[in-house]
Amino acid sequence: MKFTCTYMAVLVGALVALSVPACGDYILIDFGPAAAGSYTNFDGTHYWNNVGGNETITSLRDSQNTLSGVQLSVAGATGVNTWNAGETPDPNLNGGLFAFDSVTRDGLYNNAGVTASVTLSNLSISATYNLVLYGSRQDFERYTTYTVGAQSVELQTGYTTGTGFNSNHVVSLSGLAPDANG
């Protein structure tokens, strides 16, 4: 009951939303320097899991602060950084759900040519999942490719014009099914 998302880029998404379409439940994950395994409520409604690097969290909280049983493991990340400090995301980023500078200012990264992975396990094998990913790096044109199984999407995370900050784009991987072995 798991699937692994591998990425190879300079930056991994600062934010991830994992949703089960049939249930409407979701798990929000903020990658950055916050204390590992802690969680934050930015808007008084939705809870975010904080992931601070290469680590395992045995039960992520869903957006309503209930332990989900879903496990997350990060391996191969080079580190975390707060490149976008002082930048403000679009208030409509992912329907307003990601519109907090506290979650868009930081993220995990890899050095060039390094592949890392984020593994989610203890997922229901009778459900399908959607991943919504956001990443940004303020400085120059950059791209991050996210791959789960045969699906792959690319997000432009940095720009050479304007602020260079991705303030309003996300990518999605939809209908993901965990393998039978977990």
Side-chain angles (χ1 to χ4, degrees), residues 77-134:
T78 302
V80 296
N81 206 326
T82 55
W83 301 280
N84 302 319
E87 296 292 342
T88 303
D90 184 318
N92 297 310
L93 181 60
N94 195 38
L97 191 58
F98 289 0
F100 305 102
D101 62 348
S102 298
V103 295
T104 59
R105 69 179 171 210
D106 53 20
L108 295 178
Y109 70 93
N110 320 6
N111 291 328
V114 175
T115 300
S117 66
V118 175
T119 301
L120 297 167
S121 55
N122 295 331
L123 300 169
S124 171
I125 60 172
S126 62
T128 59
Y129 297 86
N130 298 329
L131 285 175
V132 178
L133 302 141
Y134 167 85

Side-chain angles (χ1 to χ4, degrees), residues 49-63:
N49 295 275
N50 296 310
V51 178
N54 295 313
E55 61 188 310
T56 297
I57 297 175
T58 57
S59 186
L60 295 169
R61 294 180 180 274
D62 69 17
S63 63

Side-chain angles (χ1 to χ4, degrees), residues 122-181:
N122 295 331
L123 300 169
S124 171
I125 60 172
S126 62
T128 59
Y129 297 86
N130 298 329
L131 285 175
V132 178
L133 302 141
Y134 167 85
S136 182
R137 172 78 188 260
Q138 180 190 39
D139 59 4
F140 58 87
E141 189 169 317
R142 292 178 186 263
Y143 296 87
T144 298
T145 301
Y146 303 95
T147 303
V148 177
Q151 288 192 52
S152 195
V153 293
E154 184 176 76
L155 176 66
Q156 185 171 358
T157 58
Y159 299 85
T160 55
T161 60
T163 65
F165 169 68
N166 172 25
S167 67
N168 59 359
H169 294 98
V170 297
V171 292
S172 298
L173 294 162
S174 301
L176 302 171
D179 65 28
N181 298 325

Side-chain angles (χ1 to χ4, degrees), residues 57-80:
I57 297 175
T58 57
S59 186
L60 295 169
R61 294 180 180 274
D62 69 17
S63 63
Q64 299 305 304
N65 198 28
T66 302
L67 289 172
S68 68
V70 173
Q71 181 173 306
L72 176 138
S73 296
V74 177
T78 302
V80 296

